[in-house]
Amino acid sequence: MHVIKNIDNLRLWRDGLKEKGETLSFVPTMGALHDGHLSLVKEGLKQCDNVIVSIFVNPTQFAPHEDFDSYPRTIEDDIKKLQNIGVQAVWLPNIDDIYPNGAQSDIHIDGVSEPLEGEFRPHFFDGVATVVARLLRLVNPTVALFGEKDFQQLQVIKKMVHQENIDVEIIGAPIMRDENGLALSSRNIYLSAEEYKTAIQLNKILGEVANDQLDESSATQKLLNVGFDKVDYCTVRNSETFELEPPNRVLAAVWLGETRLIDNMAIR
Ligand code: PAF
C-alpha cells in the first residue's frame, strides 16, 4: 500500500493509473476508522480497479466550540486496517495541501444544506462541501463513496459535485451498525458504558417511527424519557430535499453529555 504524504506523489501515482487505463474509487475520511469506513472501502474495491482513502481532520467543518482538537486521531491503526483489506493507497494531506490560502470554506449549497444539521451546525456543510470539492479535484477519482449515516451530507455532496461541475460518480453505502443496532461512528468512543446503554435506544426508537408506531413528537419525548439529554431534532422528511413532503426518511440528532449522535432510517 502506498502511503502518500504530498500532492506531487499523489499526482504521480494518479497519472500512473491513468496511463494503465485503470479506474479509481475514493473514500474520503477523517480517520479513526471503523467497520463503517471499511465497508465503504470494500464497496470501492468492487467498483474500481484501485481504492485510495484520504485521512484528514477538516478544520472548516468544526465550529470553535466543537471537538476538532480532541477528535480521535489513530493514524497508525488506520493504516494497518487499510493495509489488511487491500487498499492500494492512503493519502495523508497536510493543511496547506488543502487550504493553501488559509482554512476557510468557500462553497455553499442552497436548499439541502439548510435544514436539520444546517440549522444546528451552520458552519458544517460549507466546510464539508469545500473540503470534499478540493479532495475530489486533487484525486480525480472515477467514483467516491460516502456512508448513509451522514445522510444529509451525502445529498449535499451530490448537489455540490453538480454545482461545481466535478466529474465523479457519488455512491452512498448503507449504515453499518453494531450488534445492538448503534450506527457506527468515530465519536462512539466518547460514550461511557452507561451512555452506551442509552445510545442503543436511538435506532430502536427511530425504527418505531419508521414502522408508524410513533409520531415525531412522541418519539422526541421517548428519546428524552430513555435518557438522552437533548434532542436537536427527530423528524420525518423527504430524503432528497429534506422538506416535509413527501416524507420517506426519519432523521435524528441527539445528545448524551458532550457527545452528539446522529442516525436515520428509511420509512417503509
Ligand atoms: O464524513 C466525514 O468523515 C467527513 O465529513 C468527510 C466527508 C470526510 C469530509 O471531511
Side-chain angles (χ1 to χ4, degrees), residues 28-30 56 58 61 124 128 131-132 146 150 153 157:
T29 80
M30 298 206 299
F56 178 68
N58 172 38
Q61 67 191 75
F124 177 67
V128 168
V131 75
V132 174
F146 299 85
D150 295 280
Q153 167 175 282
I157 289 168

mmCIF file of all heavy atoms in Angstrom, residues 28-30 56 58 61 124 128 131-132 146 150 153 157, ligand 1:
data_model
loop_
_atom_site.group_PDB
_atom_site.id
_atom_site.type_symbol
_atom_site.label_atom_id
_atom_site.label_comp_id
_atom_site.label_asym_id
_atom_site.label_seq_id
_atom_site.Cartn_x
_atom_site.Cartn_y
_atom_site.Cartn_z
ATOM 1 N N PRO A 28 -13.060 9.429 1.103
ATOM 2 C CA PRO A 28 -12.531 10.482 1.983
ATOM 3 C C PRO A 28 -12.947 10.201 3.428
ATOM 4 O O PRO A 28 -14.109 9.853 3.674
ATOM 5 C CB PRO A 28 -13.228 11.763 1.501
ATOM 6 C CG PRO A 28 -13.963 11.401 0.256
ATOM 7 C CD PRO A 28 -14.168 9.923 0.268
ATOM 8 N N THR A 29 -12.029 10.337 4.377
ATOM 9 C CA THR A 29 -12.362 10.098 5.782
ATOM 10 C C THR A 29 -11.635 11.116 6.665
ATOM 11 O O THR A 29 -10.712 11.797 6.210
ATOM 12 C CB THR A 29 -11.939 8.691 6.276
ATOM 13 O OG1 THR A 29 -10.524 8.707 6.565
ATOM 14 C CG2 THR A 29 -12.231 7.597 5.276
ATOM 15 N N MET A 30 -12.056 11.135 7.936
ATOM 16 C CA MET A 30 -11.305 11.910 8.929
ATOM 17 C C MET A 30 -10.557 10.949 9.857
ATOM 18 O O MET A 30 -10.156 11.334 10.964
ATOM 19 C CB MET A 30 -12.252 12.815 9.724
ATOM 20 C CG MET A 30 -12.957 13.836 8.813
ATOM 21 S SD MET A 30 -13.480 15.351 9.647
ATOM 22 C CE MET A 30 -14.600 14.709 10.848
ATOM 23 N N PHE A 56 -7.994 13.043 6.785
ATOM 24 C CA PHE A 56 -7.748 14.476 7.015
ATOM 25 C C PHE A 56 -8.857 15.009 7.910
ATOM 26 O O PHE A 56 -10.031 14.959 7.545
ATOM 27 C CB PHE A 56 -7.755 15.222 5.666
ATOM 28 C CG PHE A 56 -7.561 16.707 5.795
ATOM 29 C CD1 PHE A 56 -6.349 17.236 6.226
ATOM 30 C CD2 PHE A 56 -8.598 17.591 5.478
ATOM 31 C CE1 PHE A 56 -6.171 18.621 6.338
ATOM 32 C CE2 PHE A 56 -8.423 18.968 5.597
ATOM 33 C CZ PHE A 56 -7.209 19.476 6.023
ATOM 34 N N ASN A 58 -10.794 17.750 8.983
ATOM 35 C CA ASN A 58 -11.011 19.021 8.288
ATOM 36 C C ASN A 58 -11.458 20.132 9.239
ATOM 37 O O ASN A 58 -12.598 20.116 9.718
ATOM 38 C CB ASN A 58 -12.089 18.797 7.216
ATOM 39 C CG ASN A 58 -12.515 20.091 6.572
ATOM 40 O OD1 ASN A 58 -11.692 20.973 6.341
ATOM 41 N ND2 ASN A 58 -13.800 20.206 6.290
ATOM 42 N N GLN A 61 -15.047 22.240 9.035
ATOM 43 C CA GLN A 61 -16.381 21.721 9.349
ATOM 44 C C GLN A 61 -16.652 21.668 10.855
ATOM 45 O O GLN A 61 -17.680 21.159 11.284
ATOM 46 C CB GLN A 61 -16.623 20.374 8.667
ATOM 47 C CG GLN A 61 -15.784 19.226 9.159
ATOM 48 C CD GLN A 61 -15.905 18.000 8.255
ATOM 49 O OE1 GLN A 61 -15.348 17.941 7.166
ATOM 50 N NE2 GLN A 61 -16.650 16.996 8.691
ATOM 51 N N PHE A 124 -21.186 23.698 9.185
ATOM 52 C CA PHE A 124 -20.756 22.327 8.900
ATOM 53 C C PHE A 124 -20.732 22.000 7.391
ATOM 54 O O PHE A 124 -19.718 21.551 6.854
ATOM 55 C CB PHE A 124 -21.655 21.346 9.664
ATOM 56 C CG PHE A 124 -21.364 19.907 9.392
ATOM 57 C CD1 PHE A 124 -20.171 19.342 9.801
ATOM 58 C CD2 PHE A 124 -22.271 19.105 8.712
ATOM 59 C CE1 PHE A 124 -19.888 18.007 9.553
ATOM 60 C CE2 PHE A 124 -21.998 17.770 8.459
ATOM 61 C CZ PHE A 124 -20.808 17.223 8.873
ATOM 62 N N VAL A 128 -17.758 20.933 4.784
ATOM 63 C CA VAL A 128 -17.727 19.618 4.121
ATOM 64 C C VAL A 128 -17.684 19.796 2.602
ATOM 65 O O VAL A 128 -16.872 19.166 1.906
ATOM 66 C CB VAL A 128 -18.955 18.764 4.531
ATOM 67 C CG1 VAL A 128 -19.088 17.544 3.631
ATOM 68 C CG2 VAL A 128 -18.859 18.340 5.990
ATOM 69 N N VAL A 131 -14.151 21.032 1.537
ATOM 70 C CA VAL A 131 -13.049 20.065 1.605
ATOM 71 C C VAL A 131 -13.259 18.942 0.602
ATOM 72 O O VAL A 131 -12.310 18.503 -0.056
ATOM 73 C CB VAL A 131 -12.835 19.525 3.037
ATOM 74 C CG1 VAL A 131 -13.884 18.516 3.452
ATOM 75 C CG2 VAL A 131 -11.452 18.911 3.165
ATOM 76 N N VAL A 132 -14.505 18.474 0.449
ATOM 77 C CA VAL A 132 -14.731 17.353 -0.471
ATOM 78 C C VAL A 132 -14.456 17.802 -1.909
ATOM 79 O O VAL A 132 -13.840 17.066 -2.687
ATOM 80 C CB VAL A 132 -16.138 16.738 -0.287
ATOM 81 C CG1 VAL A 132 -16.413 15.681 -1.342
ATOM 82 C CG2 VAL A 132 -16.274 16.122 1.114
ATOM 83 N N PHE A 146 -19.514 7.504 0.177
ATOM 84 C CA PHE A 146 -19.843 8.139 1.454
ATOM 85 C C PHE A 146 -20.919 7.299 2.141
ATOM 86 O O PHE A 146 -21.790 6.726 1.477
ATOM 87 C CB PHE A 146 -20.369 9.558 1.231
ATOM 88 C CG PHE A 146 -19.364 10.458 0.567
ATOM 89 C CD1 PHE A 146 -19.241 10.478 -0.820
ATOM 90 C CD2 PHE A 146 -18.513 11.244 1.321
ATOM 91 C CE1 PHE A 146 -18.290 11.280 -1.443
ATOM 92 C CE2 PHE A 146 -17.561 12.051 0.712
ATOM 93 C CZ PHE A 146 -17.449 12.068 -0.668
ATOM 94 N N ASP A 150 -24.374 9.706 7.569
ATOM 95 C CA ASP A 150 -24.443 11.162 7.377
ATOM 96 C C ASP A 150 -25.302 11.410 6.139
ATOM 97 O O ASP A 150 -24.796 11.787 5.079
ATOM 98 C CB ASP A 150 -23.034 11.721 7.204
ATOM 99 C CG ASP A 150 -22.220 11.551 8.465
ATOM 100 O OD1 ASP A 150 -22.384 12.345 9.387
ATOM 101 O OD2 ASP A 150 -21.438 10.566 8.534
ATOM 102 N N GLN A 153 -25.425 14.863 4.589
ATOM 103 C CA GLN A 153 -24.112 15.138 3.995
ATOM 104 C C GLN A 153 -24.013 14.531 2.593
ATOM 105 O O GLN A 153 -23.517 15.152 1.660
ATOM 106 C CB GLN A 153 -23.012 14.589 4.892
ATOM 107 C CG GLN A 153 -21.634 14.545 4.246
ATOM 108 C CD GLN A 153 -20.537 14.106 5.190
ATOM 109 O OE1 GLN A 153 -20.080 14.887 6.007
ATOM 110 N NE2 GLN A 153 -20.099 12.854 5.083
ATOM 111 N N ILE A 157 -23.311 16.549 -0.821
ATOM 112 C CA ILE A 157 -22.153 16.268 -1.688
ATOM 113 C C ILE A 157 -22.617 15.994 -3.129
ATOM 114 O O ILE A 157 -21.997 16.454 -4.094
ATOM 115 C CB ILE A 157 -21.322 15.103 -1.106
ATOM 116 C CG1 ILE A 157 -20.614 15.590 0.162
ATOM 117 C CG2 ILE A 157 -20.309 14.572 -2.118
ATOM 118 C CD1 ILE A 157 -19.979 14.511 1.009
HETATM 119 O O1 PAF B 1 -17.942 12.135 6.833
HETATM 120 C C1 PAF B 1 -16.774 12.515 7.081
HETATM 121 O O2 PAF B 1 -15.954 11.783 7.631
HETATM 122 C C2 PAF B 1 -16.341 13.919 6.683
HETATM 123 O O3 PAF B 1 -17.394 14.818 6.806
HETATM 124 C C3 PAF B 1 -15.731 13.994 5.267
HETATM 125 C C4 PAF B 1 -16.739 13.617 4.189
HETATM 126 C C5 PAF B 1 -14.514 13.066 5.177
HETATM 127 C C6 PAF B 1 -15.259 15.419 4.969
HETATM 128 O O4 PAF B 1 -14.300 15.850 5.891
#
